[in-house]
Amino acid sequence: MGGGNFSPGFASILRRAIQAEARIVEPSDSILVQRWKSGDRQAFTLLFRRYQNGVFAFCARMLRDSAAAEDAAQETFLKAHQAIASLADGNAFRSWLFRIARNEVLMALRNHRTSALESAESVWSDDDPHRRAISEEQRTILQTVLDQLKAEYREAIVLREFQQLTYAEIAAATNSTESAVKSRIFKARTALASRIRTQFQ
Amino acid sequence: MTCETSRELLSALFDSELGHDDQSELFAHLGHCPACRDAFGELLALRSTFCSTEQLTAPASLERRVMTQLRRQESASILVTLRQWLMARFTVPAPVAVAAVLLLILGTLLLRPAARNGNGYVYVPVLPEVEVVSSPVINTPTHP
Ligand SMILES: [Zn+2]
């Protein structure tokens, strides 16, 4: 008897639940890239908001300077906007974006005389770790030892641990191979762990 | 398996980048190597250090800067596009466009099979014969 009353109510609950679900599920990178390519400004804004912290954090951890990181992040998004038509696979957006960010970082490092990509032997960077403007409360022992890593090790471990990129994505972003990425991450971890150990002793 | 190899595999395991075969080899090694088990503990500690490290967030000014810059670039590029469009419209001479269309039509007609006569296609040689050719195809269906 109550079935007639129940089912429209249930249907509306269901409809509302589905609508709520639709609101929660965010469009994938590749869908947004598609919309962005066809001139949808909102799609660009959504992707910008999705990745601005990641790109900024990557630049900041690489450059150790908030202002330089903001400049690099801005250039990254502007260049991405100019070049989006050249991105064939929207699923590769993340690694493509970090590749642009990395180029900006390397350019900034080069301009700062301190290219940390020189001598191949050591894991540690030769440049001065005191030139940095990231605020003190954001600094930890980890960040301090991270700062001492050479750029090629730092970028790999930062993209892995803070941005959760896969080895394949890191290889694409850093113009490298998966096995090189695997080895760099391993060496970076070994070096970080040992330095953290000595800092505590 | 050497300890060096085992440590590298251990690191890959932490990133879910280790295949099944490597995994079982690694676990076999860990079973009888206390040093590598210590290394595992150290990696675990390092991972939790990364997880507890504060994520850096972009300053609010970044979005403002990017969007302002984009609007500036866009209004500049709209002007460029408009100029290109106008130039394309009014500097290509009309006879060139007409000739291109005629050439296209002619090309299609020249390659069009007109009729079968046993040894292949008969091609329409020139434009004026187009009207003549289209009817024989229909009028001579039983021609051998
Ligand atoms: Zn071992």
Side-chain angles (χ1 to χ4, degrees):
Chain A
M1 316 168 234
N5 293 332
F6 173 71
S7 102
F10 180 72
S12 93
I13 288 169
L14 198 64
R15 202 177 313 117
R16 239 174 293 148
I18 290 167
Q19 282 166 356
E21 184 69 26
R23 240 174 284 129
I24 291 163
V25 173
E26 288 184 21
S28 69
D29 285 3
S30 88
I31 286 172
L32 288 175
V33 165
Q34 211 52 51
R35 282 169 45 191
W36 176 4
K37 278 183 179 176
S38 59
D40 181 349
R41 166 57 74 79
Q42 189 61 25
F44 169 76
T45 305
L46 286 173
L47 277 170
F48 171 82
R49 290 187 181 149
R50 186 174 291 175
Y51 286 107
Q52 62 165 339
N53 288 336
V55 167
F56 171 79
F58 171 69
C59 295
R61 294 199 194 277
M62 293 303 290
L63 296 169
R64 293 167 282 187
D65 180 316
S66 292
E70 191 178 351
D71 290 345
Q74 175 184 335
E75 275 311 300
T76 299
F77 284 104
L78 292 176
K79 290 203 171 136
H81 193 266
Q82 277 170 8
I84 190 63
S86 73
L87 176 64
D89 178 12
N91 291 310
F93 175 71
R94 194 160 70 139
S95 55
W96 181 78
L97 185 68
F98 278 105
R99 191 190 178 99
I100 300 175
R102 177 187 185 254
N103 285 340
E104 290 304 313
V105 162
L106 291 185
M107 231 182 311
L109 283 175
R110 231 171 279 137
N111 294 342
H112 264 275
R113 97 187 144 74
T114 51
S115 169
L117 290 168
E118 68 275 33
S119 64
E121 279 306 302
S122 168
V123 175
W124 304 107
S125 167
D126 303 326
D127 58 311
D128 176 18
H130 299 291
R131 175 189 56 82
R132 49 173 103 94
I134 295 171
S135 66
E136 206 52 43
E137 66 267 25
Q138 289 168 334
R139 305 201 47 75
T140 59
I141 288 177
L142 177 74
Q143 185 60 47
T144 307
V145 291
L146 212 50
D147 284 356
Q148 296 161 2
L149 281 180
K150 271 190 192 170
E152 64 190 276
Y153 295 95
R154 197 165 1 129
E155 65 184 9
I157 195 79
V158 163
L159 288 174
R160 176 63 217 136
E161 292 287 354
F162 292 112
Q163 308 310 328
Q164 272 76 48
L165 263 63
T166 64
Y167 287 1
E169 286 177 316
I170 297 170
T174 61
N175 212 5
S176 186
T177 63
E178 282 186 54
S179 67
V181 166
K182 180 176 159 186
S183 155
R184 270 178 213 151
I185 288 177
F186 162 62
K187 284 178 181 155
R189 282 194 175 123
T190 310
L192 289 173
S194 79
R195 209 158 265 203
I196 289 172
R197 206 190 309 124
T198 55
Q199 296 249 348
F200 275 117
Q201 278 162 2
Chain B
M1 181 187 288
T2 65
C3 286
E4 178 73 5
T5 311
S6 147
R7 305 286 166 92
E8 191 164 337
L9 295 184
L10 209 51
S11 167
L13 179 76
F14 265 77
D15 300 325
S16 318
E17 301 263 1
L18 199 58
H20 272 289
D21 292 351
D22 282 339
Q23 266 183 41
S24 38
E25 268 189 69
L26 173 64
F27 291 149
H29 178 89
L30 286 177
H32 60 77
C33 181
C36 281
R37 283 202 297 273
D38 284 350
F40 179 81
E42 205 162 60
L43 279 182
L44 208 59
L46 186 65
R47 172 55 59 83
S48 79
T49 310
F50 270 110
C51 289
S52 61
T53 299
E54 196 192 349
Q55 294 277 350
L56 302 177
T57 52
S61 51
L62 179 62
E63 178 164 345
R64 212 165 46 236
R65 285 172 57 175
V66 168
M67 298 306 166
T68 307
Q69 201 58 36
L70 273 188
R71 269 193 294 276
R72 232 173 254 159
Q73 284 179 3
E74 268 173 11
S75 49
S77 86
I78 285 169
L79 286 179
V80 170
T81 314
L82 187 68
R83 217 179 65 200
Q84 283 169 347
W85 182 83
L86 287 171
M87 281 168 68
R89 249 190 178 209
F90 298 110
T91 59
V92 174
V96 175
V98 171
V101 171
L102 278 179
L103 208 65
L104 192 75
I105 294 170
L106 197 66
T108 323
L109 289 174
L110 280 175
L111 294 173
R112 184 181 129 187
R116 268 196 184 279
N117 65 354
N119 46 17
Y121 292 108
V122 170
Y123 294 102
V124 183
V126 280
L127 194 58
E129 286 177 34
V130 170
E131 288 88 350
V132 185
V133 176
S134 51
S135 42
V137 182
I138 306 155
N139 293 342
T140 58
T142 50
H143 200 274

